[in-house]
Amino acid sequence: MATRRFEDDLDTALSWRLREVGRSSAARLYSTYLSKLDTLETFPLLGGRVEGSEYRCTAIGGYIAVYSVDEAARVVTLMRLFHMSADWRARLLADEIEDRPN
């Protein structure tokens, strides 16, 4: 599952890559995202905890995906996607990332 904000973040990242770097870069990012999604569905607790929150995070091709896990249901919800160079921890903790999954 993913929130609307995660989907918007991913769309922005893919669009930027397509426009600024090229089709193959955008395709690699999308492929890496799909692979990581499969991994998280199998191993939802794989990513480390984000200090100061209930979220976990994992790297996806130059970005950090922040997600939550419903351990009882073993459901992963992707919450936000931040570029690694951003101060993503501060943005995460300062921002309301709660959003209903699509």
Side-chain angles (χ1 to χ4, degrees):
M1 274 198 249
T3 64
R4 168 76 60 205
R5 290 185 81 178
F6 181 89
E7 290 175 350
D8 290 345
D9 294 340
L10 180 61
D11 183 57
T12 298
L14 291 170
S15 295
W16 184 88
R17 289 258 181 123
L18 183 61
R19 184 179 64 251
E20 300 295 329
V21 186
R23 182 178 302 203
S24 63
S25 178
R28 277 192 312 275
L29 176 59
Y30 191 69
S31 176
T32 302
Y33 156 72
L34 292 176
S35 176
K36 185 64 74 161
L37 188 57
D38 285 342
T39 301
L40 289 176
E41 287 174 351
T42 304
F43 304 104
L45 302 179
L46 178 70
R49 288 205 176 269
V50 177
E51 188 176 336
S53 77
E54 75 266 22
Y55 302 111
R56 293 184 168 274
C57 63
T58 189
I60 298 178
Y63 295 83
I64 296 292
V66 177
Y67 66 97
S68 65
V69 177
D70 179 340
E71 291 185 47
R74 293 186 58 88
V75 173
V76 171
T77 301
L78 298 165
M79 306 300 289
R80 292 296 308 266
L81 185 69
F82 298 105
H83 193 273
M84 281 185 178
S85 67
D87 190 2
W88 63 270
R89 283 184 180 90
R91 287 180 55 197
L92 174 70
L93 297 175
D95 194 14
E96 277 295 318
I97 69 166
E98 281 297 324
D99 195 0
R100 295 195 185 276
N102 288 329

mmCIF file of all heavy atoms in Angstrom, residues 12-34:
data_model
loop_
_atom_site.group_PDB
_atom_site.id
_atom_site.type_symbol
_atom_site.label_atom_id
_atom_site.label_comp_id
_atom_site.label_asym_id
_atom_site.label_seq_id
_atom_site.Cartn_x
_atom_site.Cartn_y
_atom_site.Cartn_z
ATOM 1 N N THR A 12 7.049 12.553 -8.721
ATOM 2 C CA THR A 12 7.962 13.689 -8.855
ATOM 3 C C THR A 12 9.380 13.214 -9.132
ATOM 4 O O THR A 12 10.070 13.746 -10.016
ATOM 5 C CB THR A 12 7.924 14.556 -7.584
ATOM 6 O OG1 THR A 12 6.600 15.075 -7.417
ATOM 7 C CG2 THR A 12 8.919 15.698 -7.646
ATOM 8 N N ALA A 13 9.836 12.204 -8.404
ATOM 9 C CA ALA A 13 11.190 11.673 -8.597
ATOM 10 C C ALA A 13 11.344 11.075 -9.994
ATOM 11 O O ALA A 13 12.353 11.322 -10.677
ATOM 12 C CB ALA A 13 11.502 10.625 -7.533
ATOM 13 N N LEU A 14 10.364 10.305 -10.421
ATOM 14 C CA LEU A 14 10.437 9.685 -11.750
ATOM 15 C C LEU A 14 10.393 10.737 -12.854
ATOM 16 O O LEU A 14 11.145 10.650 -13.835
ATOM 17 C CB LEU A 14 9.314 8.669 -11.924
ATOM 18 C CG LEU A 14 9.431 7.410 -11.079
ATOM 19 C CD1 LEU A 14 8.136 6.603 -11.147
ATOM 20 C CD2 LEU A 14 10.624 6.566 -11.505
ATOM 21 N N SER A 15 9.539 11.727 -12.686
ATOM 22 C CA SER A 15 9.432 12.796 -13.686
ATOM 23 C C SER A 15 10.730 13.581 -13.794
ATOM 24 O O SER A 15 11.186 13.905 -14.899
ATOM 25 C CB SER A 15 8.284 13.742 -13.332
ATOM 26 O OG SER A 15 7.056 13.083 -13.406
ATOM 27 N N TRP A 16 11.336 13.890 -12.644
ATOM 28 C CA TRP A 16 12.602 14.621 -12.654
ATOM 29 C C TRP A 16 13.674 13.803 -13.360
ATOM 30 O O TRP A 16 14.406 14.324 -14.204
ATOM 31 C CB TRP A 16 13.043 14.962 -11.225
ATOM 32 C CG TRP A 16 14.281 15.801 -11.227
ATOM 33 C CD1 TRP A 16 14.346 17.162 -11.292
ATOM 34 C CD2 TRP A 16 15.637 15.326 -11.211
ATOM 35 N NE1 TRP A 16 15.667 17.562 -11.302
ATOM 36 C CE2 TRP A 16 16.481 16.451 -11.261
ATOM 37 C CE3 TRP A 16 16.212 14.070 -11.157
ATOM 38 C CZ2 TRP A 16 17.863 16.351 -11.254
ATOM 39 C CZ3 TRP A 16 17.593 13.962 -11.165
ATOM 40 C CH2 TRP A 16 18.407 15.100 -11.205
ATOM 41 N N ARG A 17 13.772 12.516 -12.992
ATOM 42 C CA ARG A 17 14.778 11.645 -13.624
ATOM 43 C C ARG A 17 14.564 11.568 -15.135
ATOM 44 O O ARG A 17 15.522 11.640 -15.901
ATOM 45 C CB ARG A 17 14.708 10.234 -13.044
ATOM 46 C CG ARG A 17 15.209 10.114 -11.639
ATOM 47 C CD ARG A 17 16.606 9.531 -11.641
ATOM 48 N NE ARG A 17 17.118 9.383 -10.312
ATOM 49 C CZ ARG A 17 17.533 8.235 -9.794
ATOM 50 N NH1 ARG A 17 17.478 7.132 -10.498
ATOM 51 N NH2 ARG A 17 18.021 8.200 -8.587
ATOM 52 N N LEU A 18 13.325 11.414 -15.548
ATOM 53 C CA LEU A 18 13.021 11.310 -16.975
ATOM 54 C C LEU A 18 13.426 12.589 -17.712
ATOM 55 O O LEU A 18 14.076 12.539 -18.758
ATOM 56 C CB LEU A 18 11.527 11.035 -17.161
ATOM 57 C CG LEU A 18 11.038 10.826 -18.585
ATOM 58 C CD1 LEU A 18 11.717 9.615 -19.217
ATOM 59 C CD2 LEU A 18 9.532 10.651 -18.590
ATOM 60 N N ARG A 19 13.079 13.724 -17.131
ATOM 61 C CA ARG A 19 13.337 15.017 -17.755
ATOM 62 C C ARG A 19 14.822 15.401 -17.718
ATOM 63 O O ARG A 19 15.374 15.884 -18.701
ATOM 64 C CB ARG A 19 12.493 16.087 -17.053
ATOM 65 C CG ARG A 19 12.562 17.470 -17.631
ATOM 66 C CD ARG A 19 11.670 18.455 -16.882
ATOM 67 N NE ARG A 19 12.098 18.633 -15.498
ATOM 68 C CZ ARG A 19 11.438 18.167 -14.428
ATOM 69 N NH1 ARG A 19 10.302 17.513 -14.577
ATOM 70 N NH2 ARG A 19 11.893 18.351 -13.210
ATOM 71 N N GLU A 20 15.482 15.201 -16.583
ATOM 72 C CA GLU A 20 16.836 15.710 -16.384
ATOM 73 C C GLU A 20 17.944 14.700 -16.680
ATOM 74 O O GLU A 20 19.058 15.099 -17.004
ATOM 75 C CB GLU A 20 17.002 16.211 -14.938
ATOM 76 C CG GLU A 20 16.056 17.327 -14.559
ATOM 77 C CD GLU A 20 16.288 18.614 -15.340
ATOM 78 O OE1 GLU A 20 17.453 18.881 -15.722
ATOM 79 O OE2 GLU A 20 15.314 19.338 -15.576
ATOM 80 N N VAL A 21 17.667 13.415 -16.517
ATOM 81 C CA VAL A 21 18.726 12.417 -16.646
ATOM 82 C C VAL A 21 18.460 11.461 -17.808
ATOM 83 O O VAL A 21 19.394 11.015 -18.465
ATOM 84 C CB VAL A 21 18.903 11.625 -15.329
ATOM 85 C CG1 VAL A 21 20.097 10.691 -15.405
ATOM 86 C CG2 VAL A 21 19.055 12.577 -14.140
ATOM 87 N N GLY A 22 17.201 11.143 -18.031
ATOM 88 C CA GLY A 22 16.890 10.284 -19.168
ATOM 89 C C GLY A 22 16.000 9.109 -18.795
ATOM 90 O O GLY A 22 15.802 8.781 -17.630
ATOM 91 N N ARG A 23 15.491 8.500 -19.836
ATOM 92 C CA ARG A 23 14.542 7.401 -19.690
ATOM 93 C C ARG A 23 15.126 6.218 -18.913
ATOM 94 O O ARG A 23 14.465 5.627 -18.085
ATOM 95 C CB ARG A 23 14.080 6.944 -21.066
ATOM 96 C CG ARG A 23 13.068 5.836 -21.032
ATOM 97 C CD ARG A 23 12.631 5.484 -22.402
ATOM 98 N NE ARG A 23 12.077 6.707 -22.978
ATOM 99 C CZ ARG A 23 11.226 6.724 -23.971
ATOM 100 N NH1 ARG A 23 10.836 5.610 -24.523
ATOM 101 N NH2 ARG A 23 10.765 7.860 -24.439
ATOM 102 N N SER A 24 16.373 5.867 -19.186
ATOM 103 C CA SER A 24 16.958 4.698 -18.523
ATOM 104 C C SER A 24 17.110 4.937 -17.017
ATOM 105 O O SER A 24 16.928 4.014 -16.223
ATOM 106 C CB SER A 24 18.288 4.313 -19.144
ATOM 107 O OG SER A 24 19.239 5.335 -18.983
ATOM 108 N N SER A 25 17.410 6.158 -16.621
ATOM 109 C CA SER A 25 17.530 6.478 -15.192
ATOM 110 C C SER A 25 16.174 6.350 -14.500
ATOM 111 O O SER A 25 16.079 5.782 -13.413
ATOM 112 C CB SER A 25 18.081 7.892 -15.011
ATOM 113 O OG SER A 25 18.151 8.218 -13.640
ATOM 114 N N ALA A 26 15.142 6.871 -15.121
ATOM 115 C CA ALA A 26 13.789 6.762 -14.558
ATOM 116 C C ALA A 26 13.373 5.290 -14.495
ATOM 117 O O ALA A 26 12.792 4.850 -13.491
ATOM 118 C CB ALA A 26 12.801 7.568 -15.389
ATOM 119 N N ALA A 27 13.692 4.530 -15.521
ATOM 120 C CA ALA A 27 13.336 3.109 -15.543
ATOM 121 C C ALA A 27 14.070 2.339 -14.449
ATOM 122 O O ALA A 27 13.488 1.467 -13.796
ATOM 123 C CB ALA A 27 13.646 2.509 -16.916
ATOM 124 N N ARG A 28 15.354 2.675 -14.228
ATOM 125 C CA ARG A 28 16.116 2.012 -13.154
ATOM 126 C C ARG A 28 15.520 2.323 -11.789
ATOM 127 O O ARG A 28 15.402 1.441 -10.943
ATOM 128 C CB ARG A 28 17.582 2.435 -13.192
ATOM 129 C CG ARG A 28 18.424 1.664 -14.170
ATOM 130 C CD ARG A 28 19.910 1.904 -13.965
ATOM 131 N NE ARG A 28 20.276 3.313 -13.845
ATOM 132 C CZ ARG A 28 20.519 4.126 -14.879
ATOM 133 N NH1 ARG A 28 20.414 3.664 -16.106
ATOM 134 N NH2 ARG A 28 20.865 5.378 -14.680
ATOM 135 N N LEU A 29 15.146 3.586 -11.563
ATOM 136 C CA LEU A 29 14.540 3.957 -10.289
ATOM 137 C C LEU A 29 13.237 3.198 -10.082
ATOM 138 O O LEU A 29 12.983 2.649 -9.002
ATOM 139 C CB LEU A 29 14.290 5.463 -10.207
ATOM 140 C CG LEU A 29 13.561 5.948 -8.952
ATOM 141 C CD1 LEU A 29 14.328 5.582 -7.678
ATOM 142 C CD2 LEU A 29 13.314 7.449 -9.029
ATOM 143 N N TYR A 30 12.418 3.125 -11.113
ATOM 144 C CA TYR A 30 11.142 2.419 -10.989
ATOM 145 C C TYR A 30 11.359 0.926 -10.751
ATOM 146 O O TYR A 30 10.689 0.314 -9.915
ATOM 147 C CB TYR A 30 10.270 2.655 -12.224
ATOM 148 C CG TYR A 30 8.860 2.171 -12.015
ATOM 149 C CD1 TYR A 30 8.015 2.808 -11.125
ATOM 150 C CD2 TYR A 30 8.388 1.060 -12.703
ATOM 151 C CE1 TYR A 30 6.719 2.366 -10.905
ATOM 152 C CE2 TYR A 30 7.090 0.605 -12.499
ATOM 153 C CZ TYR A 30 6.266 1.256 -11.605
ATOM 154 O OH TYR A 30 4.982 0.802 -11.390
ATOM 155 N N SER A 31 12.321 0.339 -11.432
ATOM 156 C CA SER A 31 12.636 -1.073 -11.237
ATOM 157 C C SER A 31 13.140 -1.326 -9.813
ATOM 158 O O SER A 31 12.757 -2.320 -9.173
ATOM 159 C CB SER A 31 13.686 -1.504 -12.261
ATOM 160 O OG SER A 31 14.068 -2.841 -12.045
ATOM 161 N N THR A 32 13.984 -0.439 -9.309
ATOM 162 C CA THR A 32 14.488 -0.562 -7.942
ATOM 163 C C THR A 32 13.346 -0.447 -6.945
ATOM 164 O O THR A 32 13.282 -1.195 -5.964
ATOM 165 C CB THR A 32 15.553 0.520 -7.665
ATOM 166 O OG1 THR A 32 16.605 0.365 -8.607
ATOM 167 C CG2 THR A 32 16.099 0.421 -6.257
ATOM 168 N N TYR A 33 12.429 0.472 -7.194
ATOM 169 C CA TYR A 33 11.245 0.631 -6.343
ATOM 170 C C TYR A 33 10.427 -0.663 -6.311
ATOM 171 O O TYR A 33 10.050 -1.146 -5.231
ATOM 172 C CB TYR A 33 10.403 1.810 -6.842
ATOM 173 C CG TYR A 33 8.963 1.743 -6.451
ATOM 174 C CD1 TYR A 33 8.559 1.954 -5.138
ATOM 175 C CD2 TYR A 33 7.982 1.459 -7.404
ATOM 176 C CE1 TYR A 33 7.218 1.885 -4.777
ATOM 177 C CE2 TYR A 33 6.654 1.398 -7.050
ATOM 178 C CZ TYR A 33 6.272 1.605 -5.741
ATOM 179 O OH TYR A 33 4.946 1.532 -5.393
ATOM 180 N N LEU A 34 10.153 -1.248 -7.466
ATOM 181 C CA LEU A 34 9.352 -2.479 -7.510
ATOM 182 C C LEU A 34 10.050 -3.625 -6.787
ATOM 183 O O LEU A 34 9.407 -4.399 -6.066
ATOM 184 C CB LEU A 34 9.064 -2.868 -8.963
ATOM 185 C CG LEU A 34 8.132 -1.937 -9.729
ATOM 186 C CD1 LEU A 34 8.010 -2.397 -11.177
ATOM 187 C CD2 LEU A 34 6.768 -1.839 -9.067
#
